[in-house]
Amino acid sequence: LEDAIDDCNVECTFDCNEDAVHAWDEAVAFYTGSEEGSDGSGDGALLYSLADKRCANFKTCGPEGDSVSGTSNINIKIFSEFAAGQMNLNLGNCDAARVNKDRISELMGVPLVQGVYRYAHKIDNLGDSSEKSKAEGAVFAAAILPRLHACSPGAAATVYENMKVGATSTSLPAVKSAFEANYACMGIFCDAVGELYNTDTGSYYANVPACNDAIFSEPNFLAGYMPDTDVLDHSAIDGDQLAIESALSTGDFGLAKSIYEDGGYSKSYAQITVSPALSKGLPKGTPITGLSGNNRAVFGTALES
């Protein structure tokens, strides 16, 4: 896909970006393979097939993403982007083709996240300690961790410690919340990933914490703008402003000054007591992860050495 963008000629009017379109078509071939057949109903061994397998585990198959059979909704969306990208390349709309490429890359991550959840669930909730399940979980995690790390090194560290080869324990809630807190950054959302579904009972697994876009995705948007980096804490400065105004209205100048200098809603921090004490100090900026009282992953960095 990147090769196609590199080869794209903006001066092309129609059907003159042959090299770019060929590179794009190659990407589709590498994603799909030959065993899927002309209509995608076959049984291949590449990413197209993986997406179809995982959608059955999360009830995200079909045009509406609400079925346990048929073509993965992710594949439907990806092939819509493939078609649009091919058209844009033929027309020399190189910038538009890059948008298609970026969206395809985001969507391709969904089956990998689903794979991590599936095997974390097997290990944590179903007591599956087999080498196969642990290995598959580790491989799925390794495939998606670079993208998660680009959004949050702390979240990536949480997933790695829970899913790595030789992990002493695996917590599905910790893994799930680590990803969900970064869905917006990764370009995916709860409805795309779905929830683990038990096809034998025809219901979702009760012991899997539900995803909530309102909690994890929407706060990252700023008046419709989605930052590429985490500035949620910075945006909370208006909470400081309102708190200062409230303090001043009651004549509490000391509180107003404290909020101004140290922050109130912004510059959020937590004080923790480590027991027993650490054997050595931690430098400022060290990533720190843990679980909140409701078993959600919390990420931060040491403010002082």
Side-chain angles (χ1 to χ4, degrees), residues 107-241:
L107 292 169
M108 283 182 177
V110 171
L112 302 178
V113 173
Q114 290 175 328
V116 175
Y117 290 171
R118 172 174 164 78
Y119 288 98
H121 168 65
K122 282 176 172 285
I123 298 167
D124 187 20
N125 293 334
L126 303 184
D128 184 352
S129 60
S130 67
E131 185 176 354
K132 176 182 181 298
S133 289
K134 290 183 177 181
E136 292 216 37
V139 169
F140 276 116
I144 194 65
L145 272 177
R147 285 186 53 192
L148 179 59
H149 185 275
C151 295
S152 170
T158 295
V159 174
Y160 174 74
E161 290 300 327
N162 279 272
M163 303 303 299
K164 67 181 181 180
V165 174
T168 56
S169 64
T170 298
S171 168
L172 174 61
V175 169
K176 202 165 182 289
S177 58
F179 274 112
E180 289 173 353
N182 294 281
Y183 272 3
C185 174
M186 298 173 70
I188 59 179
F189 297 97
C190 295
D191 59 350
V193 178
E195 298 289 355
L196 281 157
Y197 191 78
N198 188 335
T199 53
D200 292 333
T201 62
S203 61
Y204 292 99
Y205 283 97
N207 54 351
V208 177
C211 179
N212 188 343
D213 274 336
I215 295 175
F216 294 108
S217 298
E218 293 303 328
N220 289 311
F221 285 91
L222 301 175
Y225 173 80
M226 189 174 75
D228 278 342
T229 59
D230 182 8
V231 291
L232 185 60
D233 196 53
H234 301 71
S235 69
I237 192 172
D238 56 354
D240 296 347
Q241 174 68 24

Side-chain angles (χ1 to χ4, degrees), residues 1-170:
L1 295 178
E2 288 287 356
D3 185 21
I5 304 300
D6 288 343
D7 291 341
C8 184
N9 178 9
V10 294
E11 297 178 357
C12 174
T13 55
F14 183 73
D15 202 24
C16 52
N17 262 324
E18 184 176 346
D19 289 343
V21 173
H22 179 66
W24 191 267
D25 290 346
E26 284 183 316
V28 179
F30 291 144
Y31 179 82
T32 311
S34 62
E35 297 298 319
E36 294 294 344
S38 60
D39 61 356
S41 62
D43 186 13
L46 300 178
L47 289 174
Y48 185 101
S49 176
L50 173 65
D52 281 354
K53 289 179 180 178
R54 289 292 83 88
C55 78
N57 304 135
F58 289 79
K59 200 179 180 182
T60 54
C61 304
E64 302 300 323
D66 59 359
S67 176
V68 294
S69 61
T71 301
S72 165
N73 187 255
I74 288 298
N75 276 336
I76 293 173
K77 291 177 178 177
I78 285 177
F79 270 73
S80 175
E81 297 291 341
F82 275 144
Q86 184 190 62
M87 179 188 69
N88 282 323
L89 290 172
N90 271 317
L91 295 175
N93 297 330
C94 304
D95 289 341
R98 178 167 290 282
V99 173
N100 299 132
K101 187 274 299 179
D102 289 343
R103 186 58 184 146
I104 290 168
S105 178
E106 292 170 344
L107 292 169
M108 283 182 177
V110 171
L112 302 178
V113 173
Q114 290 175 328
V116 175
Y117 290 171
R118 172 174 164 78
Y119 288 98
H121 168 65
K122 282 176 172 285
I123 298 167
D124 187 20
N125 293 334
L126 303 184
D128 184 352
S129 60
S130 67
E131 185 176 354
K132 176 182 181 298
S133 289
K134 290 183 177 181
E136 292 216 37
V139 169
F140 276 116
I144 194 65
L145 272 177
R147 285 186 53 192
L148 179 59
H149 185 275
C151 295
S152 170
T158 295
V159 174
Y160 174 74
E161 290 300 327
N162 279 272
M163 303 303 299
K164 67 181 181 180
V165 174
T168 56
S169 64
T170 298

